[in-house]
Amino acid sequence: MSGGARLRAGVVGAGFIGAVHARSARLAGARLVAVAASTPESSRAAAGRLGAERACKSGEELVAADDVDVVHVCAPNHLHLPLARAALEAGKHVICEKPLALDDDGAAELVAAASAGGLQAAVPFVYRYYPMVREARERLRGGRSGPLRLLHGTYLQDWLSLPADANWRVERRLGGASRAFADIGSHWCDLAEFASGHRIVRLSARTATVVPERSASGTAAFARRDDDGPRQPVDTEDVALVQFETDGGALGSVVVSQVSPGRKNRLWIEWDAADAALAFDQEQPELLWCGRRDGVALALRDDAALSAPAARFATLPAGHPQGYGDCFDAFVADVYAAIADGEAADGLPRFADGRRAVQITEAVLGSAAADGAWTAVPAPALAEARP
Amino acid sequence: MSGGARLRAGVVGAGFIGAVHARSARLAGARLVAVAASTPESSRAAAGRLGAERACKSGEELVAADDVDVVHVCAPNHLHLPLARAALEAGKHVICEKPLALDDDGAAELVAAASAGGLQAAVPFVYRYYPMVREARERLRGGRSGPLRLLHGTYLQDWLSLPADANWRVERRLGGASRAFADIGSHWCDLAEFASGHRIVRLSARTATVVPERSASGTAAFARRDDDGPRQPVDTEDVALVQFETDGGALGSVVVSQVSPGRKNRLWIEWDAADAALAFDQEQPELLWCGRRDGVALALRDDAALSAPAARFATLPAGHPQGYGDCFDAFVADVYAAIADGEAADGLPRFADGRRAVQITEAVLGSAAADGAWTAVPAPALAEARP
Amino acid sequence: MSGGARLRAGVVGAGFIGAVHARSARLAGARLVAVAASTPESSRAAAGRLGAERACKSGEELVAADDVDVVHVCAPNHLHLPLARAALEAGKHVICEKPLALDDDGAAELVAAASAGGLQAAVPFVYRYYPMVREARERLRGGRSGPLRLLHGTYLQDWLSLPADANWRVERRLGGASRAFADIGSHWCDLAEFASGHRIVRLSARTATVVPERSASGTAAFARRDDDGPRQPVDTEDVALVQFETDGGALGSVVVSQVSPGRKNRLWIEWDAADAALAFDQEQPELLWCGRRDGVALALRDDAALSAPAARFATLPAGHPQGYGDCFDAFVADVYAAIADGEAADGLPRFADGRRAVQITEAVLGSAAADGAWTAVPAPALAEARP
Amino acid sequence: MSGGARLRAGVVGAGFIGAVHARSARLAGARLVAVAASTPESSRAAAGRLGAERACKSGEELVAADDVDVVHVCAPNHLHLPLARAALEAGKHVICEKPLALDDDGAAELVAAASAGGLQAAVPFVYRYYPMVREARERLRGGRSGPLRLLHGTYLQDWLSLPADANWRVERRLGGASRAFADIGSHWCDLAEFASGHRIVRLSARTATVVPERSASGTAAFARRDDDGPRQPVDTEDVALVQFETDGGALGSVVVSQVSPGRKNRLWIEWDAADAALAFDQEQPELLWCGRRDGVALALRDDAALSAPAARFATLPAGHPQGYGDCFDAFVADVYAAIADGEAADGLPRFADGRRAVQITEAVLGSAAADGAWTAVPAPALAEARP
């Protein structure tokens, strides 16, 4: 049992991802003491559904509650900053969904507040918790693959491919100025940097809104609607193309789309180093494709064959598929262990990583607004730099 | 939260699979009140590791404990019968690992005892809980695919491919007369029958022990050893080949092996019906291959596209991989719900299914001992027949 | 250019496979001097279509023609024996489609006649000519993989899955007593033995005719029909299941079917040896799956990485797919080179191999007729044994 | 037999691709009357190797020879323009390898010369001849997939990943100012446009030379070298990243690399339209991935299921793999038929297409030189526009 056995968790936001947080919190040994959704009524329903001990009338109430040690912020994007700020001010540890804030000022404030308060503050870049991602990281950062020259890939979804598809994320007011990139492109960039140790320092981007009007009433993420009701203009991007340079001298490219039919959650990334190329497909996460000049190996999620940092997350024997839920569980367990121990395990994504995603997103939007002009991405502060 | 919220669970056996049971029990909302392993010392260690409230000195103590509602029997095979019997006699609900017993007499006794006591008694044929297995079942049993003509496949592993690989399962005395078939072949047959509604009525089998001697001291399942210690003869099979007929007039074939290098847990099965063929690969469980004369479709684990019985187990959006752990969680949740409601959800694998696996295993060994003579498999009693 | 530059070839039979022979003959540098089909009219049409210099009125005329050096026998199965016999008697080299004859007596006669005449006599087991099959052979026979323990697989097609599907092969009178096994199962067994060096010595088989009646009027192989005309009973098998033992002590299993929807030409085979397993999929022939305990490699058809016997057939750079046509071309080129040089290249499938397929087929039918009784397969005569 | 039965072909250049041309010419029924390589000696050797009737002392001699109807220009890139010009001036039909010329002036001159002479003039963008590429084209251009929004992919190779890898293409003087993009990126763009009917009108590009020095002495394409001889600076790119807009309002992105270990010839492209996405992988050319919101289909290269324009190139039954050689054969056959008939079949890649590749390449280099500035690509002249 993890060190978080007696930790008291509260979850704000009870959509798909809130339920995922609640499950992982319970599995990590925490008590799920409180849940808050958008209204007192929905909070009560959510408490029952997620198995929480009680419902709070509002997120504000929850983040201030005396009996909560750690707050999971799973509300819509525009509420991340105020809720996380209030939670930190109340001395709570925080796990906050990305984007950490709708602009870099907000994200910087949260990083500073967490640091000042000596609180654990994490962002669920959970794809880092696939064992084969850790294996890629060991092979790339440990020098076994030679210098990285090129990294490229896609993050494609289709749940917003139709005009009838609507969601609060589509609205800039609620979701932020960037949608496709901030929501999923940020995951891709986090993985790209996390595994390689390289940092994106300069980028050129194009964005497009290919579904110009959508249903006016939003629905839950990944849900579908058939209605023919009123439509409203869309002010966030469906597609983003980004090229970039890294501080290590590599070039990169990523295609981000939420309108690619048949692609459900196709985060695919390839790192081409001098001696080996590695490719990871989030939809087949038990494999790592390893190309060399003289052949291809498929590294399996088999603890006997993995490096130690990857084997740490191999909780089932090879061939018994681990999935997204296992990543989330491992992430939350690591956060809770950090709360208990005061020390974060290697690779834990923290608010500094969440801020970095905001900065890259701002650079993407800035470049796109300037016809793809190459645009600098701020370097992470030393204190925030990944070791 | 499932109906098992306040259920009190005990786990006997603390190896790989005991930990899996404990996790799923907690996630289903049960209290894990007690754990027992092979000695008082190992029980105490296991209680800490699995987060149980206390350790029992022995399995016997646990199955009789007043504060346990449901017992998970995860001890070595030869203990399944006595522990399950004692638990049922003590009025406990039971989840017992397969093989339910080392022979059909034992299995029949347990089926009768559970029935007499009005207790829930389940066997973790958990592969039934992959959503795409349920989807295959809907397509095959609902008549959308035409009459089933042929079903075939493999179940291949490699963790016993070397003489240094040892485990208590290798010993007939502890694991039973059949090893490869009873351990994994039984899963394949359960899936084959479960999805198709057909029953194997007659079979012909060959078995082989290709590693005639192994290390004398056993290790945990899926673990590896390098020692050069003493060896002992192996008296269980590494490989089984089975051909069979079903009550619905289909022919079938399966290859079972624990000595196929590079195959970790390759349960692969294809159902060839008149109008469509379906194939499922447990190592890529998010897909169902669907062949028709005019093309191939890959059905995705996407609740919007699945039949209702399959969608019930799709707990994450498509493209966010579910895995083996999710199957186990769903299975235990269904057992606990059956305990709470007195009624089992569709597809719950029960002791009758466990007995059937024992009967098929006995037919396999019988045929193999008679140079592959075609051998009848008992028909399930009406009361036990799948609806 | 191959040694067959000035060779004069004649083709009897002008269906799909006759055209394939004609193409390969031309590519190997031969003159295609004559073609014969089922009637003088169809012969003339075929000569035009295949680019032959002239049409013969009949196969009998062609095999006796003075200006033909090598005869390709591509007529329906029941004509193989008389045509090949006549060609050999006329002193022609022969490439004869399988089955060489409808029974072993006929096949034995042809083997003897070719030997007596000092003539090249080959059977197009062309799957041997995939470079990755040769690579598998090197790895299995060269000892790099350890002793072979188990070999298994499938050969599945769907072009006869419907009652409307008809073809002369369906009729025992024209195609022989075995259809699915003789037509495709024989290819699987040839590959299994060819790559491993093992010989099937004993087998148990089941067959089934799952489409009991078919359209009375046949069509070309792989073609489709929609008519609702008269039907006639089918007297050949659609499905065959075979288990076997080899002279090297391995067990094997193969599933053969021409009624598996969506499977076009799924010849899939896995050889499980002690240290490595190899798997080949004829529909993705540029890869060889290589499993070891500690991981999986995908060997590519890349001449720089292949053994010399495999690289000999890698005629394009890796990544530029070679296919079935390339196999056929290489086979015919090797036959023609053998004619020119009087010496056959390693791996050339000869009449002895064709006879072996007939013997295995007879054993399959014999076992199936005896409820799967284990049945001996004759050992190849020493002179015919593969080196 | 194609209409080119009596056509007299000559091939200039006898490397890997020259041999491919020679084979396809023979298979299309032409006489291979002459071959020329870089020296009289190598010409004689090549004539023997390729089976030509005679050797010419030089390419200049061959293109002027009276007995040659069609010239295949397969010499290094800097010779394409002078050889093709001379051949056209001599009234020969021409198949010229890409790049047609080292700059647009040269390419335009050749287009004009071919047009003025009424000669067939083709460029082997042979990937157009995969049946599944034609199928994609039918689905995209016929409106079955909805408006195209996004197209993206990669073209990755590894045969130039090491400093020891050298080839004349590496030298700007012999291969032209662009290497990776001109050599393989041009294929990708041709396919992208060909299948979609869209035209790239504006692009932004980055290039990189990641192996700054290579062995001074070149070798054949796709060959390897191990020597440690003298090195020289590389003045052509190893990697190109390109983003683009089309005249139909779609965005696109492609990653081109010749330094990606394990990638042999990974031309992969996805077209994301509103209702369906299609993806094609040149290394698995028998499939077309077809994504829709409610599932994925794998279209097979099965003539019964293909559109007529795709089925025209399906020469073998489904499941009998066609490959690169079959594409080349079909391309040459179509060129020869155009020579015979005076009319080109749909989809034949002509000099105008070759010129277009030169124009796109110039835009790529221009943008890369201007830090990725978005750069216009000339529109094809009306007469050259694809119907």
Side-chain angles (χ1 to χ4, degrees):
Chain A
M1 163 108 345
S2 90
R6 284 172 304 270
L7 205 65
R8 296 166 300 174
V11 173
V12 184
F16 147 62
I17 202 67
V20 170
H21 280 252
R23 172 189 178 281
S24 292
R26 179 184 308 122
L27 203 53
R31 287 172 47 205
L32 183 58
V33 294
V35 165
S38 51
T39 66
E41 292 70 32
S42 63
S43 293
R44 276 195 296 276
R49 202 168 66 246
L50 304 185
E53 300 178 7
R54 65 185 168 90
C56 287
K57 279 204 282 295
S58 68
E60 289 70 21
E61 181 187 316
L62 187 147
V63 300
D66 283 346
D67 63 346
V68 169
D69 301 313
V70 57
V71 174
H72 294 248
V73 178
C74 307
N77 296 352
H78 67 297
L79 300 175
H80 292 177
L81 173 61
L83 286 167
R85 177 198 287 138
L88 292 170
E89 284 173 356
K92 315 298 190 197
H93 304 284
V94 179
I95 298 179
C96 183
E97 275 296 327
K98 69 189 164 57
L100 201 51
L102 299 189
D103 60 30
D104 185 43
D105 286 348
E109 177 194 333
L110 291 180
V111 171
S115 175
L119 296 163
Q120 295 297 332
V123 175
F125 283 126
V126 294
Y127 297 128
R128 294 186 181 190
Y129 286 83
Y130 279 120
M132 302 319 288
V133 165
R134 298 288 172 137
E135 183 68 17
R137 190 182 188 224
E138 286 303 301
R139 294 183 183 210
L140 289 167
R141 296 175 56 146
R144 294 164 57 187
S145 305
L148 182 66
R149 294 161 165 181
L150 178 64
L151 58 170
H152 53 97
T154 64
Y155 199 150
L156 310 175
Q157 297 181 333
D158 71 356
W159 67 284
L160 290 167
S161 60
L162 302 175
D165 299 319
N167 181 273
W168 56 258
R169 280 175 182 80
V170 165
E171 283 185 65
R172 177 184 290 245
R173 185 177 54 88
L174 302 177
S178 170
R179 187 217 323 147
F181 188 82
D183 194 19
I184 57 177
S186 61
H187 271 296
W188 193 95
C189 291
D190 183 72
L191 267 200
E193 292 191 345
F194 177 67
S196 67
H198 283 228
R199 293 286 186 162
I200 297 171
V201 290
R202 207 160 159 260
L203 60 78
S204 162
R206 280 298 298 264
T207 60
T209 302
V210 303
V211 181
E213 293 194 326
R214 293 179 180 273
S215 293
S217 53
T219 54
F222 299 107
R224 303 194 192 179
R225 20 181 326 119
D226 301 311
D227 75 320
D228 294 316
R231 304 245 161 133
Q232 62 184 20
V234 174
D235 55 4
T236 53
E237 86 280 2
D238 295 313
V239 170
L241 309 181
V242 184
Q243 295 178 347
F244 56 86
E245 300 168 2
T246 75
D247 58 357
L251 284 183
S253 172
V254 61
V255 173
V256 178
S257 160
Q258 293 181 314
V259 291
S260 296
R263 299 296 184 188
K264 298 304 170 186
N265 201 35
R266 172 85 168 172
L267 189 173
W268 185 91
I269 183 165
E270 177 168 330
W271 297 269
D272 292 346
D275 300 323
L278 302 177
F280 177 75
D281 176 358
Q282 190 274 149
E283 295 183 333
Q284 289 196 28
E286 299 276 282
L287 295 178
L288 185 66
W289 183 95
C290 305
R292 288 185 176 268
R293 185 68 172 270
D294 58 0
V296 167
L298 299 179
L300 307 180
R301 204 247 329 122
D302 178 8
D303 58 0
L306 294 177
S307 60
R312 183 163 100 83
F313 298 104
T315 55
L316 291 170
H320 297 72
Q322 293 183 202
Y324 179 85
D326 299 288
C327 289
F328 223 101
D329 295 342
F331 162 70
V332 170
D334 264 9
V335 177
Y336 286 9
I339 291 171
D341 305 344
E343 194 171 345
D346 177 50
L348 186 74
R350 310 186 68 174
F351 272 19
D353 301 295
R355 182 185 175 198
R356 178 150 185 82
V358 172
Q359 291 175 321
I360 295 175
T361 301
E362 291 193 341
V364 164
L365 292 185
S367 173
D371 196 25
W374 282 80
T375 301
V377 179
L382 273 190
E384 302 162 7
R386 207 172 288 129
Chain B
M1 164 115 336
S2 90
R6 285 173 303 272
L7 207 65
R8 297 165 300 174
V11 173
V12 184
F16 147 61
I17 202 67
V20 170
H21 280 253
R23 172 189 178 280
S24 292
R26 180 183 309 122
L27 202 53
R31 287 173 47 205
L32 182 58
V33 294
V35 165
S38 51
T39 66
E41 292 70 34
S42 63
S43 294
R44 276 194 295 276
R49 202 168 65 246
L50 305 186
E53 299 178 8
R54 65 187 167 89
C56 287
K57 279 204 281 296
S58 68
E60 290 71 21
E61 180 187 316
L62 187 147
V63 299
D66 284 345
D67 63 347
V68 169
D69 301 312
V70 57
V71 174
H72 294 248
V73 178
C74 307
N77 296 353
H78 67 298
L79 301 175
H80 292 178
L81 173 62
L83 286 167
R85 176 198 288 138
L88 292 169
E89 284 174 356
K92 315 298 190 197
H93 304 284
V94 179
I95 298 179
C96 183
E97 274 295 327
K98 72 194 160 54
L100 200 51
L102 298 189
D103 60 32
D104 185 42
D105 287 345
E109 177 194 333
L110 291 180
V111 171
S115 175
L119 296 163
Q120 295 298 332
V123 176
F125 284 126
V126 294
Y127 297 129
R128 293 185 182 191
Y129 286 83
Y130 279 119
M132 301 321 287
V133 165
R134 299 287 172 137
E135 183 68 17
R137 190 181 187 223
E138 287 302 301
R139 295 183 182 210
L140 289 167
R141 296 176 56 148
R144 294 165 57 187
S145 305
L148 182 66
R149 294 162 165 181
L150 178 64
L151 58 170
H152 52 97
T154 64
Y155 199 149
L156 310 175
Q157 296 181 333
D158 72 357
W159 67 284
L160 289 168
S161 60
L162 302 176
D165 300 319
N167 181 272
W168 56 258
R169 281 176 181 79
V170 164
E171 283 186 65
R172 177 183 291 245
R173 186 177 55 87
L174 302 177
S178 170
R179 187 217 323 145
F181 188 82
D183 194 18
I184 58 176
S186 62
H187 271 296
W188 192 96
C189 291
D190 183 71
L191 267 200
E193 292 193 344
F194 177 68
S196 67
H198 284 228
R199 292 287 186 163
I200 296 170
V201 290
R202 207 159 159 260
L203 60 78
S204 162
R206 281 297 299 264
T207 59
T209 302
V210 303
V211 181
E213 294 194 326
R214 292 180 180 274
S215 292
S217 53
T219 53
F222 300 107
R224 303 193 192 180
R225 26 183 320 119
D226 302 312
D227 75 322
D228 294 316
R231 304 243 161 134
Q232 61 184 20
V234 174
D235 55 5
T236 53
E237 86 280 1
D238 295 313
V239 170
L241 309 181
V242 184
Q243 295 178 347
F244 57 85
E245 300 167 4
T246 75
D247 57 358
L251 285 182
S253 172
V254 61
V255 174
V256 178
S257 160
Q258 293 181 315
V259 292
S260 296
R263 298 298 185 186
K264 297 305 170 185
N265 202 34
R266 172 84 169 175
L267 190 172
W268 183 92
I269 182 165
E270 177 168 329
W271 298 269
D272 291 346
D275 300 323
L278 301 177
F280 177 74
D281 176 358
Q282 190 274 149
E283 295 183 334
Q284 289 196 27
E286 300 276 282
L287 294 177
L288 184 66
W289 183 94
C290 306
R292 289 186 175 266
R293 186 67 172 272
D294 59 0
V296 168
L298 299 179
L300 307 181
R301 206 246 328 122
D302 177 7
D303 58 0
L306 293 177
S307 60
R312 182 164 100 82
F313 297 103
T315 55
L316 291 171
H320 297 73
Q322 294 183 202
Y324 178 85
D326 300 287
C327 288
F328 224 100
D329 296 342
F331 161 70
V332 171
D334 264 10
V335 177
Y336 286 10
I339 292 171
D341 305 344
E343 194 171 346
D346 177 51
L348 187 73
R350 310 185 68 173
F351 272 19
D353 300 295
R355 182 186 174 197
R356 178 150 186 81
V358 172
Q359 291 175 321
I360 295 175
T361 302
E362 291 192 341
V364 164
L365 293 185
S367 173
D371 196 25
W374 281 81
T375 301
V377 179
L382 274 191
E384 302 162 8
R386 207 172 288 128
Chain C
M1 163 114 335
S2 88
R6 284 172 303 271
L7 207 66
R8 297 166 301 174
V11 173
V12 183
F16 147 62
I17 203 66
V20 169
H21 281 253
R23 172 189 177 280
S24 293
R26 180 183 309 122
L27 202 53
R31 287 171 48 203
L32 182 58
V33 294
V35 165
S38 50
T39 67
E41 293 70 34
S42 62
S43 293
R44 275 194 298 274
R49 201 168 66 246
L50 304 186
E53 300 178 8
R54 65 187 167 89
C56 287
K57 279 205 280 297
S58 68
E60 290 71 21
E61 180 188 317
L62 187 147
V63 300
D66 283 346
D67 62 347
V68 168
D69 301 312
V70 57
V71 174
H72 294 248
V73 179
C74 307
N77 296 353
H78 67 297
L79 301 175
H80 292 177
L81 173 62
L83 287 168
R85 177 198 287 139
L88 292 169
E89 284 174 355
K92 315 299 190 195
H93 304 284
V94 179
I95 298 179
C96 183
E97 275 296 327
K98 67 188 168 55
L100 200 50
L102 299 189
D103 60 31
D104 185 43
D105 287 346
E109 177 193 334
L110 291 180
V111 171
S115 175
L119 296 163
Q120 295 297 332
V123 175
F125 285 126
V126 294
Y127 298 128
R128 295 184 181 191
Y129 287 82
Y130 279 120
M132 302 320 287
V133 165
R134 299 288 172 137
E135 183 67 19
R137 190 181 187 223
E138 286 303 301
R139 293 183 183 211
L140 290 167
R141 297 176 56 146
R144 294 165 55 187
S145 305
L148 182 66
R149 294 162 165 181
L150 177 64
L151 59 170
H152 53 97
T154 64
Y155 199 149
L156 310 174
Q157 297 182 333
D158 72 357
W159 67 284
L160 290 167
S161 59
L162 302 176
D165 299 319
N167 182 271
W168 56 258
R169 281 175 180 79
V170 165
E171 284 185 65
R172 178 184 291 245
R173 184 177 56 88
L174 303 177
S178 169
R179 187 216 325 145
F181 187 83
D183 195 18
I184 58 177
S186 61
H187 271 296
W188 193 95
C189 292
D190 183 72
L191 267 200
E193 291 193 344
F194 177 67
S196 67
H198 284 227
R199 292 286 186 162
I200 296 170
V201 290
R202 208 161 158 258
L203 60 78
S204 163
R206 280 297 300 264
T207 60
T209 303
V210 304
V211 181
E213 293 194 327
R214 292 179 181 275
S215 292
S217 53
T219 53
F222 300 106
R224 303 193 191 180
R225 19 180 329 117
D226 301 311
D227 75 321
D228 294 316
R231 303 245 162 132
Q232 61 184 20
V234 174
D235 56 3
T236 52
E237 85 280 1
D238 295 314
V239 169
L241 309 180
V242 185
Q243 295 178 347
F244 57 86
E245 300 167 2
T246 75
D247 58 357
L251 284 183
S253 172
V254 61
V255 173
V256 178
S257 160
Q258 293 181 316
V259 292
S260 296
R263 298 298 185 185
K264 297 305 170 186
N265 202 35
R266 173 83 168 173
L267 190 172
W268 184 91
I269 183 165
E270 177 168 330
W271 297 269
D272 292 346
D275 301 322
L278 302 177
F280 176 74
D281 176 358
Q282 189 273 147
E283 294 184 333
Q284 289 195 27
E286 299 276 282
L287 295 178
L288 184 67
W289 183 94
C290 306
R292 289 186 175 267
R293 186 68 173 270
D294 59 0
V296 167
L298 299 179
L300 307 180
R301 206 251 322 126
D302 178 7
D303 59 358
L306 294 176
S307 60
R312 182 164 100 82
F313 298 104
T315 55
L316 291 171
H320 296 73
Q322 293 184 202
Y324 178 85
D326 300 286
C327 288
F328 223 101
D329 296 342
F331 161 71
V332 171
D334 264 10
V335 177
Y336 286 10
I339 292 171
D341 305 344
E343 195 171 345
D346 178 50
L348 186 73
R350 310 186 68 174
F351 272 19
D353 301 293
R355 182 186 173 197
R356 179 151 185 81
V358 172
Q359 291 175 322
I360 294 175
T361 301
E362 291 192 341
V364 164
L365 293 185
S367 173
D371 196 26
W374 282 81
T375 301
V377 178
L382 273 191
E384 302 163 8
R386 208 171 289 127
Chain D
M1 164 105 346
S2 88
R6 284 172 305 271
L7 206 66
R8 297 166 301 174
V11 173
V12 183
F16 146 62
I17 203 66
V20 169
H21 280 253
R23 171 188 179 280
S24 292
R26 179 183 310 122
L27 202 53
R31 286 172 49 204
L32 182 58
V33 295
V35 165
S38 51
T39 66
E41 292 69 34
S42 62
S43 295
R44 276 195 296 275
R49 202 167 65 245
L50 303 186
E53 300 179 6
R54 65 187 167 90
C56 286
K57 280 204 282 295
S58 68
E60 289 71 22
E61 180 187 318
L62 187 146
V63 299
D66 283 345
D67 62 347
V68 169
D69 301 311
V70 57
V71 174
H72 294 249
V73 179
C74 307
N77 296 353
H78 67 297
L79 301 174
H80 292 177
L81 173 61
L83 286 167
R85 177 198 287 138
L88 292 170
E89 284 174 357
K92 316 298 190 196
H93 305 284
V94 179
I95 298 179
C96 183
E97 276 295 328
K98 68 188 165 54
L100 200 50
L102 300 189
D103 60 31
D104 185 43
D105 287 348
E109 177 193 334
L110 291 179
V111 170
S115 175
L119 296 164
Q120 295 297 332
V123 175
F125 284 127
V126 294
Y127 298 128
R128 293 186 181 190
Y129 286 84
Y130 279 120
M132 302 319 289
V133 165
R134 298 288 172 137
E135 183 67 18
R137 190 181 187 225
E138 286 303 302
R139 295 183 183 211
L140 289 167
R141 297 177 54 147
R144 294 165 56 188
S145 305
L148 182 66
R149 294 162 164 181
L150 177 65
L151 59 170
H152 53 97
T154 64
Y155 199 151
L156 310 175
Q157 297 181 333
D158 73 356
W159 67 284
L160 290 167
S161 60
L162 302 176
D165 299 318
N167 181 272
W168 56 258
R169 281 175 182 80
V170 164
E171 283 185 65
R172 177 183 291 244
R173 185 176 55 87
L174 303 177
S178 170
R179 187 217 325 146
F181 187 83
D183 194 18
I184 58 176
S186 62
H187 270 297
W188 192 95
C189 291
D190 183 71
L191 267 200
E193 293 193 343
F194 177 68
S196 67
H198 284 227
R199 292 286 186 163
I200 297 170
V201 290
R202 208 161 157 259
L203 61 78
S204 162
R206 281 297 299 263
T207 60
T209 302
V210 304
V211 181
E213 293 194 326
R214 293 181 180 273
S215 292
S217 53
T219 54
F222 301 106
R224 304 195 191 179
R225 17 181 330 117
D226 301 312
D227 75 320
D228 294 316
R231 304 244 161 133
Q232 61 183 21
V234 174
D235 55 4
T236 53
E237 86 280 1
D238 296 313
V239 170
L241 309 181
V242 184
Q243 295 178 345
F244 57 86
E245 300 168 2
T246 75
D247 57 357
L251 284 182
S253 172
V254 61
V255 173
V256 178
S257 160
Q258 293 181 315
V259 291
S260 296
R263 299 297 185 186
K264 297 305 170 185
N265 202 35
R266 173 85 169 171
L267 189 172
W268 185 90
I269 183 164
E270 177 169 331
W271 298 269
D272 292 346
D275 301 323
L278 302 177
F280 177 75
D281 176 358
Q282 190 273 149
E283 293 183 334
Q284 290 196 26
E286 299 277 282
L287 296 176
L288 185 66
W289 183 95
C290 306
R292 288 185 176 266
R293 184 68 172 271
D294 58 0
V296 168
L298 300 179
L300 307 180
R301 206 255 317 128
D302 177 7
D303 58 0
L306 293 177
S307 60
R312 183 163 100 82
F313 297 104
T315 55
L316 290 171
H320 297 72
Q322 293 183 203
Y324 178 85
D326 300 287
C327 288
F328 224 101
D329 296 342
F331 162 71
V332 170
D334 264 11
V335 177
Y336 286 9
I339 291 171
D341 306 343
E343 194 171 345
D346 177 51
L348 186 73
R350 308 186 69 173
F351 272 20
D353 301 294
R355 183 186 173 198
R356 177 149 186 82
V358 171
Q359 291 175 321
I360 294 175
T361 301
E362 290 193 341
V364 164
L365 293 185
S367 173
D371 197 25
W374 281 81
T375 302
V377 178
L382 272 191
E384 302 163 7
R386 207 172 289 127

